[in-house]
Amino acid sequence: MYDPLINSTIAYNENYPNSYWADISGQAPTDNGSINGDIDVDVAIIGAGYTGLSCALSLAKDYGIHAHVLEANKVAWGCSGRNAGFILKSSGRKSYATMVDHWGEEVMRGVYAEMEFGVNRVKSLVAQMSQFGVNCERQSAGFLKVAHKPSMMKTLVAQAKLQQKTLAGIATSEIDILTAQQVRQHYMDDKNAYGAIRYHDGFGLNPLKLAWGYQQLAQQAGAKIHTSSPVIRWQKENNRHVLQTPTGKVHAQKVVIATNGYTPKNFHSLINNRTLPVLSQIIVTETLTAEQIAACNFLTDNVVMDTRALKYYYRKLPDNRILFGGRGAITGKGAEDPYYADRLLAVLKTSFPVLASIHYQYAWAGWICMSLDDIPHIHHDENEDVFYAMGYCGSGVSFSAQAGKRLADKVAEQAIPNLPLYQKPLPKFPLAPLRRLGQWGYFHYGKIKDSYF
Ligand SMILES: Cc1cc2nc3c(=O)[nH]c(=O)nc-3n(C[C@H](O)[C@H](O)[C@H](O)COP(=O)(O)OP(=O)(O)OC[C@H]3O[C@@H](n4cnc5c(N)ncnc54)[C@H](O)[C@@H]3O)c2cc1C
């Protein structure tokens, strides 16, 4: 598999991975094809995932700027077509409690508001895409954060209380505190659940259809989406950017980088050594029978995540399969080793031992994008006239909608909130060539922490 820390050119013209989403979602909408010859544009966007598409949509709709999006493969070939489809009011890995410690309550509330705008933007766009007959298969509202050991309940309750206190009056979300028995009786009989907090918002949907819906909205508004158009060289000529693709050049005044965890090695000096691509892995089981569903007491289709340092997450899909996810291999070379999918299945079976004989039917992985300070950064470099949004740390389905909109605001020179997400570039990783070693060390630390502490 393409490895962004090793390969300096993005994979090109590849099909979607063998994912459940690619299998069930039908035909991709028509796009504008690959770049044909040399063109001159105001704004070029590199990457047609949620970030690039949301930015293109907002530029066209809100500002009348018709950007050209350049995608190496197909629309949403990267994370946006491979994720678990959890829509959550968060992004990055910094908890709201840590934000309060680092930045104070007011800034934390500002960040929360942006995350909430992200979820609301997704909901509003999902409603608009029904005009094209796109049904994103939205599931019922609710997000269960499950304690994987009894001691974690204290942490979860403290989190819920802090959030209720600091967001009182502005947040719409209610949070329930559930005992192990309540979880098992009313949601699902997960043997690894020792209680949970349940946010009333958060929900699951079909992530690939979401991206295709964004694509159609963006095209309708006047954006052009060029697939099979990898940027393989980037130069500056007469103060304009020249983006070389295999089938033509794009000359642009402004460039938005929306390549996130799929950014090739040494792609641009503004972002080199500022992210860590990490593989996240998903399996989808065969369809559960009514008896198996009953034996697991699987009453909910809410989205579920646990409290481990190395998190697992799952949900029951509309056709009664279970989607189960967690960390994957460290390198692209190891990505397709069945060891990682088998490991997820083994953990799933510890949660639901009655499913001892179940198999998975789909397994795939994708590169999430970690930032050193655990938050996404949406940045404009004024000298270069280059913009980027990156570092969602595996939690970007909803926030990328807002990040794309904020990128568009920046391109259109509009003021945006003064928040750490928007005002600083991504910090550089110290000892960047050793990032993978650090990741390997963190995985080992996480394994020990999750097993013994
Ligand atoms: C297995 C998995 C599960 C996840 N689950 C969730 C979840 O449930 N909830 C959640 O919030 N987040 C989740 N995420 C993260 C979420 O999917 C991402 O944060 C989000 O999709 C990022 O969108 P993006 O548009 O920024 O990047 P991407 O969707 O990754 O798009 C980047 C695109 O850039 C293109 N590209 C790269 N280089 C070039 C180039 N040189 N020229 C042209 N094109 C280029 C790539 O081909 C790619 O299509 C998950 C991720 C994975 C991998």
Side-chain angles (χ1 to χ4, degrees), residues 131-143:
Q131 66 179 293
F132 309 113
V134 176
N135 170 7
C136 289
E137 297 146 22
R138 184 174 157 179
Q139 294 185 289
S140 64
F143 164 36

Side-chain angles (χ1 to χ4, degrees), residues 2 10-11 46-53 70-88 90 229-232 258-264 267 278-282 313 326 364-369 389 392-400:
Y2 163 72
I10 177 75
I46 309 173
Y50 303 135
T51 303
L53 295 169
L70 312 180
E71 166 56 49
N73 299 288
K74 295 176 182 303
V75 165
W77 175 84
C79 271
S80 299
R82 301 175 188 232
N83 63 73
F86 285 28
I87 299 290
L88 304 175
S90 60
S229 299
V231 174
I232 49 176
T259 49
N260 236 311
Y262 282 79
T263 312
F267 190 56
V278 169
L279 278 171
S280 190
Q281 169 90 39
I282 286 180
Y313 49 86
W364 71 94
W367 294 103
I368 61 172
C369 186
Y392 307 140
C393 305
S395 180
V397 178
S398 53
F399 181 64
S400 54

Side-chain angles (χ1 to χ4, degrees), residues 265-285:
K265 187 176 174 183
N266 296 331
F267 190 56
H268 195 282
S269 57
L270 287 177
I271 48 174
N272 292 344
N273 297 328
R274 289 170 194 266
T275 58
L276 170 61
V278 169
L279 278 171
S280 190
Q281 169 90 39
I282 286 180
I283 55 169
V284 169
T285 66

